[in-house]
Amino acid sequence: MDKLIITAALTGAEVTRAQQPALPITPQEIADAACECAQAGASIVHVHARLPDGTPTQDKEIYRQIIAEVKKRCNVIVQVSTGGAVGMTPQERLAPVTLKPEMATLSMGTVNFGGDVFMNPPAEMEIFAAAMRDHGVKPELEIFDSGMLTTVHRWLKKGLLSGPQHVDFVLGIPGGMAGTPEALMYLRSQLPAQSSWTVAGIGPAQLPLGTLAILLGGHVRVGFEDNVYYRKGELASSNAQLVARIARISRELERDVATPDEARALLGLKSSA
Ligand code: KMH
Ligand code: ZN
């Protein structure tokens, strides 16, 4: 099995300081959290920008600061969000891709998102895919429900995507596919050949689905964007605490954890050196 790639989803767009007092918000806080996670075993950080008051933003300058602050401190892969927050325009959402980060998320379809609708119309997402290709940014394909994986197959046939894909199953969003082993096993069975995959279990699904992914040869995303708890009723003290636990479980299961450069090699990214 390949070494385990751990992604730390540090901030997200929805979680507040009231829900998780250790939530990183400023570029400095995000960079500190990113490198603490890298130290604990993360090779990718998935980042969302916030204004100083915590409001989600896709402001390119804030993303520029986040990337620069992370690079000053450590060698982790920075993956920017193009999902942003529900209700943002496609133009806003795409802004950080022009900074040519190593990776960016690419949502593969529209999904109910709690009481909201997270809009990802195919024509707009095709533009996102083309922008990532033009800027040399590796997409991580976000799959919230099974039909989105059939879209991946269609896009591969049409040439909108090429080469081995890296897919993230986001499971347990109210309105999306359930955070269950059955859902994960089904999605895994439908992957295009040569794809790598990771799982982002939401809330209580984070730990069991992450553990299952380690056993199945997938990769794992943890962090406050998806889950603010260490265990039922106990908030996590930091993103790094969640990373350290999944790294520990992986090593106990005799699967080594990838460094950022090992993750780059697995994902077909340029080496950092
Ligand atoms: N905040 C969600 C509506 C992504 O980062 O690409 C979308 C999201 C996905 O977080
Ligand atoms: Zn996100």
Side-chain angles (χ1 to χ4, degrees):
M1 256 184 218
D2 289 331
K3 290 189 182 182
L4 180 74
I5 298 172
I6 301 175
T7 299
L10 302 170
T11 303
E14 291 82 22
V15 178
T16 64
R17 273 269 166 85
Q19 295 167 316
Q20 174 42 271
L23 186 74
I25 287 178
T26 66
Q28 282 73 20
E29 288 167 352
I30 290 173
D32 285 343
C35 296
E36 206 192 331
C37 286
Q39 197 70 36
S43 44
I44 302 176
V45 288
H46 169 70
V47 298
H48 285 250
R50 300 282 187 107
L51 297 176
D53 70 358
T55 308
T57 178
Q58 290 294 96
D59 186 296
K60 186 173 160 177
E61 290 315 310
I62 301 184
Y63 274 99
R64 195 196 303 279
Q65 283 177 37
I66 293 170
I67 294 167
E69 291 296 326
V70 171
K71 282 190 189 308
K72 261 192 233 168
R73 290 165 171 77
C74 64
N75 176 37
V76 73
I77 298 166
V78 177
Q79 177 194 84
V80 302
S81 170
T82 69
V86 167
M88 287 177 172
T89 65
Q91 290 77 9
E92 276 178 284
R93 286 170 52 182
L94 200 47
V97 168
T98 59
L99 296 169
K100 303 186 191 301
E102 287 190 274
M103 293 183 79
T105 50
L106 176 57
S107 296
M108 292 305 300
T110 295
V111 61
N112 286 349
F113 201 90
D116 296 314
V117 182
F118 179 35
M119 293 294 293
N120 297 295
E124 281 163 13
M125 293 306 106
E126 288 182 16
I127 292 170
F128 280 35
M132 290 181 203
R133 195 180 53 233
D134 293 348
H135 287 96
V137 177
K138 168 102 178 175
E140 177 180 276
L141 309 179
E142 307 297 297
I143 303 295
F144 297 84
D145 215 332
S146 58
M148 299 183 194
L149 206 44
T150 63
T151 301
V152 174
H153 285 275
R154 277 203 315 280
W155 283 20
L156 282 165
K157 262 203 193 123
K158 281 167 72 176
L160 295 167
L161 297 169
S162 58
Q165 299 302 311
H166 185 60
V167 172
D168 178 23
F169 300 128
V170 185
L171 300 182
I173 297 276
M177 210 153 162
T180 59
E182 290 79 6
L184 180 61
M185 296 301 286
Y186 173 72
L187 291 169
R188 175 178 173 263
S189 76
Q190 300 300 308
L191 276 169
Q194 322 246 294
S195 309
S196 54
W197 61 276
T198 188
V199 67
I202 302 301
Q206 186 167 91
L207 181 59
L209 290 188
T211 305
L212 182 56
I214 294 169
L215 293 168
L216 293 172
H219 302 284
V220 182
R221 174 169 123 171
V222 294
F224 290 166
E225 174 164 346
D226 305 328
N227 166 45
V228 295
Y229 289 99
Y230 189 72
R231 58 171 71 87
K232 193 166 185 219
E234 182 185 325
L235 287 172
S237 57
S238 65
N239 279 292
Q241 187 191 28
L242 297 169
V243 171
R245 174 170 60 184
I246 213 73
R248 203 163 55 238
I249 292 170
S250 191
R251 291 192 183 104
E252 287 291 338
L253 293 169
E254 308 231 24
R255 185 159 173 211
D256 285 340
V257 174
T259 65
D261 276 344
E262 288 168 341
R264 286 183 178 96
L266 289 170
L267 295 170
L269 301 173
K270 286 194 201 92
S271 143
S272 64

